[in-house]
Amino acid sequence: MLMILVAKRILIAAFTLLLVSFVIFAITSLLPGDAAQELLGQSATPEIVAELREQLGLNQPAHIRYLNWLGGLLTGDPGTSMVSNMPVKDIIGERLPKSLILAGLTAAVSVPLALLIGILSAMYRDSRLDRALNVVTLSMIAVPEFLVATIAVIVFAVQLRWLPSITIVSPDASFGELARAYALPVMTLCFVVVAQMARMTRAAVINQLDSSYVEMAILKGARPTRIALQHALPNAIGPIVNAIALSLSYLLGGAIIVETIFNYPGVASLMVNAVTSRDMPLLQACAMIFSGAYLLMVLIADIVAIISNPKLRHQ
Amino acid sequence: MTRIQGSGWVGLLLVLMWLLVALFGPMLAHYEVGAIVAPDVFERMGGAHFLGSDYLGRDVLSRLMNGARFTVGLSFGAALLASASGASLALFSAISGRWIDETVSRLMDALISIPGKILALVIVAAFGSSMLLLLLIAAISYMPGAFRIARSLAVNLNQMDYVQVARARGEGRVHIAIFEILPNMIHPLLADFGLRFVFVVLLLSGLSFLGLGVQPPDADLGSLVRENISGLSEAAPAIIAPAMAIATLTIGVNLLIDSLASGGRSVTDEAQR
Amino acid sequence: MSAVLQVNGLEVSVRGERGERIKIVDNVSFAASKGEVLALIGESGSGKTTIALALMGYARRGCTVSGGEILIGDTDVLALSRAELFGFRGNRVSYVSQSAAAAFNPSKTIMDQVIESAVLHRLSSKTEARAKAIKIFESLALPNPETIGNQYPHQVSGGQLQRLMAAMALMSDPEVLVLDEPTTALDVTTQIEVLRSFKKVVADSGITAVYVSHDLSVVAQMADQIVVLKNGTVREAGATMQVLDAPSDEYTRSLMAAAKSIVRVQPQSLDASDVSPAKPLLELRGVTAGFGKTDRDGMPRFRVLHAVELSLERGSTLGIIGESGCGKSTLARTIAGLHPAAAGSVCLDGETLAPHLSRRTREQLRRVQIVFQNADTALNPAQTVEQVLGRPLAFYHGLSADAARKRIARLLEQVKLPANIAPRRCAELSGGQKQRINLARALAADPDIILCDEVTSALDTVVGAAILDLIAELRRELDVAFVFISHDISAVRSVCDDILVLYAGRTVEIGKRDNFTGGPGHPYTDLLISSVPELRQGWLEETHAKTVAEPNSSLPGNGDLCAFLDRCPVRQVGTCDKTPPPRLTHGNGNEVLCHLGQTKA
């Protein structure tokens, strides 16, 4: 039963990813302009344009092009960049680890922090601490990343001169240098993500704290910490993991602004470049990576929720 | 109606202020939007120019008041479109047969799996970024979220006994949707609309900040931040003011919704994505 | 004898919308000595649970104990510090709550939760606590006492969970045990076993118990003293015998009147219906329905109803009784066309109705109306009473606004509500008022049949009794037939001409109301009837109600064999577990699905 449910989730995620690929391809192929013409500029002769069109496979009907592209994606070859003429695979391959490092660092900082804030404000619900945290987190999720980033730069880089305003990571940097380099982008990303995650965690824990079994535990003489950690938390794992997944997926969007501001060579800034240069193969691949990452995180959260459900685990 | 309290008043005040600025800002502005009026670029606050001057020596306050109109107007339109189309589709889907519901829901799941900003970038790359397109882009990006919330509301209401009674009476689907289900969805949908608005403001100013949103000579609040980015190293008010403007607008809306919606947090938190 | 528990002038208040304090419990005093069982009885809003929780030094969110004192032994509970309270709760006083299914943490084993208080209060080591728990399981007559603790809450039945919660409460050998509606969520046949084991444990351990309930009959079995509460104040207090035999308070008398089973309707023209020349108004033939995927024969995977047959004469009332999950609500929904039957037919006046309501004509739909159990969810909170009642008038009868207004006034009069209620929103009405509007909406269609699905079970006893009176009166005045579905045999007996007993989706007995007073009929019917507590002391000791065991799925009860086999106290090995039971007509005219009648008939 458990395995069937998990398998079902995986199938649904795969199917959704397929739909996503279709949507992305459809939008990018409904281009009003001609990619070949655009690449070569107005001065190119019709013959050269036609040759390039042939080369790019633009003469084939849309569904064939879609299937070719999809096949490429599945075999790990999402095409060639129209601008740099390099394989998209290589361009992304160089950038992806950097994005993963940034996301990993942010997650490592934000998840524990958010869980702490969320659980604390749930435990002390309606106290002054909770109300203050409510207004603070509510405001934090409403602040645009570029405001956080600019203020952080002004304070830490311009005024205090503690940290660099752009993130350059050289391969032979020491740990201290690395920490300084990553401090500002990670701080900015955490700002929004922590608030969101903390609010959702609070809601999930409170939902459990309102249940009869928690009242029963109180009546057995259990203390608040025991109640939160031993009684409420095990039942809130599903929704909390879901909250983490949704918040971290927000990182994907937030990274676009942050990577741009701090000149960080990740996939998100690559995608912005692809938009400005209208490099469609690169753009498509980047979009698929972000959507795939979202689906993967939600899938993991779903599976954790299924596994953590005692009714499914002990039948 | 729930009473507004505490931080809700702050929110209401901020929202009203930005609404007034958006409606009457251009009339109140002292200087022409494009006019270079200050002797110096990146002037400090105070003096003839309340918020200083920008990178060309234009009056920041006047540009801000004009920019707010674009930000608030575009976002309001896009959020309205997203919420209305999402809710209508959800209602249609919930009362239709299993196949239609399943198909629409799967499609929306796919759309929701493309993070809002990413989807916006893809569409901008393909179609460019005219004012109308920006509005549509923002609406499309946040419609699936509105759909998801509205559908779960509609599905729950659809199970209610009073809907069963109406069904047993022989009422048609449209009657049930409009007279039995919709009136009970309005309240949470309004709260959700406020959140969509905040998301759209953040999305559009983010796009403008990247140079992919509102194009010169027009400028929304995000473009103002972008064009003055060179003032970052001197902490010029020209870059801080528009960024703060966005923040106060979105924070205001969030605070207001949170205090209005009874059990506000569950609504606010469910809608996050 | 000094009191183990003493409550003096207790006052609990909540904060109102404008921050003012509203007393929900006011000046409540009572005392109980060692080994005594004191009952707090009252309806919803009487403050009984709030008082029970206050005994634990606990108030729910928004409530505060604002005055009075609670003494357990020499300890003033309300004067305890926060830290002292943690050592007190679940140690010297412990609690058993209404819904065991909700009160057990779904992700911990039963044993971990049962021994939690003993371990928390350092009363014994884990190993000792486990051994003790197993002993208590035995004394509560739980099956497999050695291993039941290793299971998770969702793996055991509701009746067992309720007893496991009692075990949890007894682990710390408390001075006072608080039982808050501990059997309300159970079926009546399960309730009796749980009551018996509670009573035994209380008697054996000499514990002082506070028993909170809305049900006078249950309290009569359990309590030495009764405190009657209404709106947070004490209306009457005294020894059980005295309160039951000579109630001094008006309110207590009304509670007792509502709890007595009275027959509200006389059978309609007996001679005519015996001959029954005309075709019945409603007739079900072999109705089978269920959930899940359908197989090749169009049968659903999980069958809820198995070839149910019934017929209903014009203007008469048929009661359908059974425990939760027996399929009685599905039966109502199948008749209404909300849950299409997989096989069999539903005939109205000899005309076969389409299984699904979308295929029925508006006229057919008008003639059969359904009234749901929960009036809170059955009325659209966004609509006014006028809108709710006006819609069927416009929909079925095309009444003009003016004519509709007159008709609505008449309908409100019929359900005994003031006419000025019409412009109010449904959300503002009380539970009893909502249920009346619910009935009025059905009447607005001028139906031939009204299907009432548990219409009194969500209501307080007194309010529910008034609804029964109303139904009886409507039946006399209007020519409407009722199908009255309930789990409560006395409610069914009070308004019905005929009774159908449903067990596991099968009709196990059907017959005249007067034949359902004590058997012998189908063993399940007998169990059902003998399990309903009577409003007198000593009933629990006298009644013969008994089942063999809790429902046990290991027996091959499926197929065509008797569905009651695994719980039947009189089953005959070799017959009942080998051949399907026949449908026999007993001497009193009842049709019974059982082997046993064969020897008698």
Side-chain angles (χ1 to χ4, degrees):
Chain A
M1 194 60 198
L2 199 69
M3 289 324 286
I4 294 175
L5 273 175
V6 171
K8 217 170 165 180
R9 287 303 149 104
I10 294 175
L11 273 181
I12 289 177
F15 178 70
T16 311
L17 193 61
L18 188 71
L19 272 180
V20 166
S21 74
F22 179 75
V23 170
I24 288 175
F25 186 83
I27 297 173
T28 44
S29 307
L30 286 174
L31 268 178
D34 181 332
Q37 182 80 61
E38 211 149 289
L39 271 179
L40 297 168
Q42 292 303 322
S43 55
T45 61
E47 292 79 36
I48 298 178
V49 173
E51 195 185 325
L52 184 67
R53 201 180 279 145
E54 182 67 46
Q55 212 181 317
L56 293 173
L58 293 180
N59 287 337
Q60 287 167 313
H63 65 274
I64 300 288
R65 277 191 287 149
Y66 172 64
L67 288 180
N68 284 341
W69 175 68
L70 194 65
L73 276 183
L74 289 175
T75 51
D77 175 27
T80 310
S81 161
M82 285 179 172
V83 177
S84 65
N85 227 358
M86 275 165 62
V88 168
K89 187 174 72 175
D90 294 351
I91 306 179
I92 289 180
E94 187 199 338
R95 298 277 193 121
L96 193 57
K98 300 209 166 88
S99 276
L100 289 178
I101 290 174
L102 187 59
L105 282 174
T106 309
V109 176
S110 62
V111 173
L113 194 61
L115 291 188
L116 189 71
I117 296 176
I119 293 171
L120 272 181
S121 48
M123 277 174 68
Y124 298 100
R125 170 154 53 141
D126 291 345
S127 66
R128 276 199 199 152
L129 172 79
D130 177 40
R131 278 186 226 170
L133 282 173
N134 177 37
V135 173
V136 169
T137 52
L138 205 54
S139 305
M140 279 163 76
I141 46 176
V143 170
E145 299 92 359
F146 56 79
L147 174 63
V148 185
T150 44
I151 290 182
V153 167
I154 288 172
V155 172
F156 294 106
V158 178
Q159 304 282 335
L160 298 170
R161 294 179 189 284
W162 286 353
L163 300 166
S165 66
I166 55 170
T167 308
I168 304 165
V169 184
S170 58
D172 44 52
S174 72
F175 180 78
E177 283 169 324
L178 272 178
R180 274 163 47 82
Y182 274 105
L184 281 182
V186 169
M187 199 193 302
T188 311
L189 280 176
C190 282
F191 192 83
V192 178
V193 175
V194 164
Q196 234 177 47
M197 221 186 296
R199 291 179 70 79
M200 290 198 265
T201 304
R202 176 187 181 275
V205 175
I206 278 185
N207 201 10
Q208 295 302 324
L209 289 180
D210 278 342
S211 62
S212 311
Y213 70 79
V214 162
E215 184 169 76
M216 197 64 218
I218 295 173
L219 295 176
K220 278 196 264 181
R223 285 163 194 275
T225 322
R226 182 182 170 87
I227 284 171
L229 299 181
Q230 297 258 338
H231 284 274
L233 213 51
N235 291 294
I237 286 178
I240 287 178
V241 173
N242 191 39
I244 293 175
L246 287 181
S247 306
L248 290 185
S249 72
Y250 184 84
L251 269 183
L252 308 171
I256 294 176
I257 306 278
V258 171
E259 287 188 9
T260 308
I261 289 183
F262 295 102
N263 244 331
Y264 185 79
V267 180
S269 56
L270 184 68
M271 184 166 174
V272 176
N273 294 342
V275 173
T276 24
S277 60
R278 304 195 73 179
D279 189 347
M280 287 307 162
L282 187 56
L283 182 78
Q284 290 166 334
C286 290
M288 284 306 292
I289 285 181
F290 283 117
S291 308
Y294 170 88
L295 279 170
L296 185 66
M297 275 190 284
V298 173
L299 176 67
I300 292 173
D302 269 357
I303 291 176
V304 170
I306 291 173
I307 293 173
S308 75
N309 183 342
K311 289 188 185 164
L312 294 174
R313 221 172 346 134
H314 309 277
Q315 274 191 327
Chain B
M1 215 35 212
T2 337
R3 281 146 35 100
I4 299 178
Q5 43 193 322
S7 52
W9 284 109
V10 179
L12 184 66
L13 219 71
L14 286 170
V15 170
L16 281 180
M17 182 187 87
W18 283 114
L19 222 57
L20 288 177
V21 170
L23 285 174
F24 305 111
M27 280 177 243
L28 297 174
H30 269 272
Y31 303 93
E32 280 288 305
V33 185
I36 294 170
V37 289
D40 209 351
V41 299
F42 293 135
E43 263 180 32
R44 303 271 105 196
M45 281 166 63
H49 305 285
F50 180 66
L51 289 176
S53 65
D54 76 352
Y55 74 113
L56 291 176
R58 295 175 292 193
D59 180 57
V60 172
L61 181 63
S62 302
R63 286 187 68 72
L64 197 72
M65 284 174 144
N66 276 286
R69 164 169 276 195
F70 284 109
T71 297
V72 173
L74 268 181
S75 305
F76 188 84
L80 195 64
L81 197 59
S83 285
S85 57
S88 317
L89 195 59
L91 208 52
F92 167 76
S93 170
I95 61 162
S96 299
R98 218 183 112 216
W99 281 109
I100 293 181
D101 184 34
E102 194 70 10
T103 313
V104 175
S105 297
R106 282 281 154 266
L107 196 68
M108 289 296 139
D109 274 355
L111 274 180
I112 225 169
S113 317
I114 312 176
K117 285 199 177 94
I118 306 292
L119 183 61
L121 285 186
V122 172
I123 304 179
V124 167
F127 300 103
S129 56
S130 72
M131 218 57 104
L132 180 68
L133 261 174
L134 282 176
L135 189 126
L136 287 177
I137 287 169
I140 293 171
S141 299
Y142 287 111
M143 193 264 271
F147 168 84
R148 191 181 260 191
I149 299 271
R151 184 176 171 278
S152 85
L153 282 169
V155 165
N156 283 338
L157 290 171
N158 206 12
Q159 301 300 319
M160 297 299 277
D161 284 347
Y162 57 80
V163 175
Q164 303 280 330
V165 169
R167 201 163 283 144
R169 193 190 303 139
E171 301 282 6
R173 282 174 181 178
V174 178
H175 175 93
I176 289 179
I178 294 175
F179 292 98
E180 303 285 349
I181 297 180
L182 188 61
N184 292 299
M185 286 169 66
I186 296 288
H187 211 86
L189 281 188
L190 279 179
D192 183 60
F193 165 73
L195 289 162
R196 303 274 137 219
F197 175 78
V198 170
F199 294 148
V200 173
V201 170
L202 293 176
L203 174 73
L204 289 181
S205 25
L207 281 180
S208 289
F209 177 78
L210 294 171
L212 302 169
V214 175
Q215 299 298 324
D218 292 329
D220 69 349
L221 296 175
S223 333
L224 293 183
V225 180
R226 175 188 173 79
E227 62 188 23
N228 292 303
I229 196 82
S230 53
L232 185 59
S233 53
E234 23 183 319
I239 180 169
I240 299 175
M244 290 301 286
I246 299 169
T248 48
L249 169 64
T250 50
I251 290 173
V253 176
N254 256 3
L255 291 178
L256 181 63
I257 301 169
D258 185 60
S259 96
L260 273 185
S262 48
R265 280 190 197 197
S266 54
V267 181
T268 353
D269 292 322
E270 248 168 61
Q272 303 291 355
R273 70 174 193 101
Chain C
M1 202 162 27
S2 73
V4 172
L5 166 70
Q6 197 165 349
V7 175
N8 296 322
L10 184 68
E11 185 186 303
V12 182
S13 41
V14 291
R15 231 166 236 295
E17 264 188 49
R18 281 169 195 79
E20 77 279 17
R21 282 213 308 217
I22 304 164
K23 286 183 200 169
I24 53 168
V25 170
D26 192 13
N27 194 22
V28 167
S29 307
F30 51 83
S33 46
K34 186 162 167 52
E36 242 191 337
V37 179
L38 177 138
L40 298 176
I41 187 151
E43 309 193 297
S44 55
S46 64
K48 54 189 194 298
T49 294
T50 311
I51 297 170
L53 290 170
L55 300 180
M56 312 283 301
Y58 176 76
R60 286 198 173 138
R61 292 177 61 75
C63 300
T64 36
V65 179
S66 45
E69 62 173 0
I70 296 171
L71 297 171
I72 307 270
D74 300 325
T75 313
D76 183 354
V77 176
L78 301 178
L80 292 176
S81 71
R82 229 173 93 84
E84 285 168 332
L85 269 176
F86 289 127
F88 167 81
R89 285 179 192 148
N91 185 359
R92 296 183 55 198
V93 184
S94 52
Y95 195 79
V96 174
S97 76
Q98 175 169 356
S99 169
F104 271 96
N105 188 332
S107 59
K108 301 178 86 167
T109 62
I110 289 167
M111 184 57 93
D112 278 351
Q113 302 185 59
V114 167
I115 64 170
E116 185 175 11
S117 58
V119 174
L120 269 180
H121 299 297
R122 304 218 167 78
L123 300 173
S124 54
S125 72
K126 270 195 178 178
T127 335
E128 288 164 9
R130 276 203 196 97
K132 181 172 181 182
I134 291 171
K135 276 214 183 93
I136 300 178
F137 293 164
E138 274 167 7
S139 72
L140 284 165
L142 281 158
N144 311 319
E146 296 282 341
T147 53
I148 193 167
N150 304 335
Q151 291 185 291
Y152 281 82
H154 68 272
Q155 295 169 314
V156 302
S157 76
Q160 290 170 1
L161 268 186
Q162 206 68 45
R163 275 178 274 171
L164 286 163
M165 189 156 55
M168 183 157 87
L170 292 168
M171 277 301 290
S172 61
D173 293 320
E175 290 153 60
V176 176
L177 175 66
V178 181
L179 299 141
D180 186 0
E181 300 257 16
T183 61
T184 306
L186 302 177
D187 281 317
V188 65
T189 53
T190 320
Q191 163 174 283
I192 191 159
E193 297 292 325
V194 177
L195 285 180
R196 277 196 186 116
S197 53
F198 282 0
K199 187 149 194 181
K200 176 171 173 287
V201 162
V202 170
D204 290 353
S205 60
I207 210 168
T208 304
V210 174
Y211 196 99
V212 178
S213 179
H214 71 284
D215 188 338
L216 264 178
S217 309
V218 166
V219 163
Q221 313 314 316
M222 304 298 289
D224 303 308
Q225 272 193 72
I226 292 182
V227 176
V228 180
L229 295 161
K230 192 188 186 203
N231 296 333
T233 56
V234 176
R235 296 299 293 255
E236 177 164 7
T240 303
M241 182 97 78
Q242 179 229 317
V243 173
L244 292 181
D245 290 350
S248 62
D249 185 76
E250 186 61 32
Y251 177 66
T252 316
R253 280 198 288 271
S254 74
L255 275 183
M256 294 195 47
K260 290 232 169 71
S261 50
I262 45 164
V263 172
R264 288 177 168 81
V265 288
Q266 291 310 314
Q268 299 251 3
S269 50
L270 265 172
D271 41 4
S273 64
D274 268 5
V275 186
S276 63
K279 51 188 182 251
L281 177 61
L282 178 74
E283 195 170 21
L284 268 63
R285 288 277 160 259
V287 167
T288 300
F291 297 91
K293 286 209 176 91
T294 48
D295 62 15
R296 265 180 307 172
D297 307 329
M299 286 300 172
R301 184 146 167 230
F302 304 103
R303 267 172 240 184
V304 181
L305 297 174
H306 300 258
V308 172
E309 319 237 322
L310 65 83
S311 70
L312 180 69
E313 304 297 328
R314 188 171 288 279
S316 70
T317 303
L318 172 70
I320 295 177
I321 185 153
E323 59 195 18
S324 53
C326 73
K328 51 192 192 301
S329 287
T330 307
L331 183 57
R333 295 168 55 85
T334 302
I335 298 173
L338 283 165
H339 187 116
S345 63
V346 178
C347 298
L348 182 66
D349 253 346
E351 194 182 326
T352 304
L353 297 179
H356 195 272
L357 60 88
S358 59
R359 293 287 173 100
R360 296 184 185 175
T361 68
R362 189 173 286 200
E363 181 61 12
Q364 288 171 336
L365 292 170
R366 181 191 66 75
R367 297 177 66 186
V368 182
Q369 292 289 308
I370 185 164
V371 179
F372 285 112
Q373 163 176 12
N374 195 336
D376 283 329
T377 56
L379 300 178
N380 192 331
Q383 293 180 354
T384 62
V385 169
E386 206 160 11
Q387 286 172 315
V388 168
L389 298 182
R391 181 62 195 171
L393 294 176
F395 186 77
Y396 293 127
H397 307 299
L399 250 52
S400 69
D402 213 38
R405 208 164 302 127
K406 286 197 188 108
R407 182 81 179 94
I408 288 171
R410 172 84 192 103
L411 283 169
L412 289 174
E413 200 184 310
Q414 276 178 336
V415 297
K416 312 234 166 346
L417 285 174
N420 61 13
I421 213 170
R424 292 181 50 193
R425 276 191 194 282
C426 295
E428 302 165 15
L429 307 180
S430 74
Q433 287 174 327
K434 281 183 193 159
Q435 202 56 286
R436 282 164 196 267
I437 298 294
N438 214 352
L439 273 169
R441 172 171 56 190
L443 291 174
D446 283 326
D448 293 333
I449 302 169
I450 296 180
L451 308 168
C452 292
D453 185 6
E454 297 265 20
V455 287
T456 57
S457 43
L459 301 172
D460 281 326
T461 328
V462 174
V463 182
I467 294 287
L468 288 179
D469 287 338
L470 177 65
I471 289 174
E473 193 180 322
L474 291 173
R475 238 209 64 182
R476 278 194 299 275
E477 286 178 2
L478 311 168
D479 191 26
V480 185
F482 282 88
V483 174
F484 187 88
I485 293 168
S486 176
H487 68 282
D488 177 358
I489 184 104
S490 46
V492 168
R493 267 198 301 238
S494 107
V495 294
C496 298
D497 306 310
D498 298 303
I499 295 177
L500 184 158
V501 182
L502 205 59
Y503 186 81
R506 295 162 178 88
T507 308
V508 293
E509 182 161 0
I510 185 167
K512 292 272 162 246
R513 184 251 326 269
D514 291 342
N515 296 337
F516 288 86
T517 46
H522 190 280
Y524 175 68
T525 315
D526 296 347
L527 172 68
L528 196 63
I529 293 171
S530 56
S531 298
V532 180
E534 288 174 19
L535 190 46
R536 61 184 173 88
Q537 282 185 297
W539 167 84
L540 186 61
E541 288 73 21
E542 291 166 25
T543 182
H544 307 294
K546 194 170 170 53
T547 54
V548 165
E550 295 258 343
N552 183 349
S553 51
S554 62
L555 270 167
N558 260 334
D560 295 326
L561 290 180
C562 176
F564 190 56
L565 179 63
D566 55 348
R567 288 173 69 191
C568 186
V570 291
R571 65 180 171 216
Q572 290 176 327
V573 180
T575 313
C576 296
D577 54 352
K578 291 284 187 301
T579 39
R583 195 171 290 281
L584 299 172
T585 308
H586 279 206
N588 57 13
N590 281 13
E591 273 183 39
V592 179
L593 184 71
C594 183
H595 287 288
L596 286 167
Q598 266 172 324
T599 48
K600 283 175 200 149

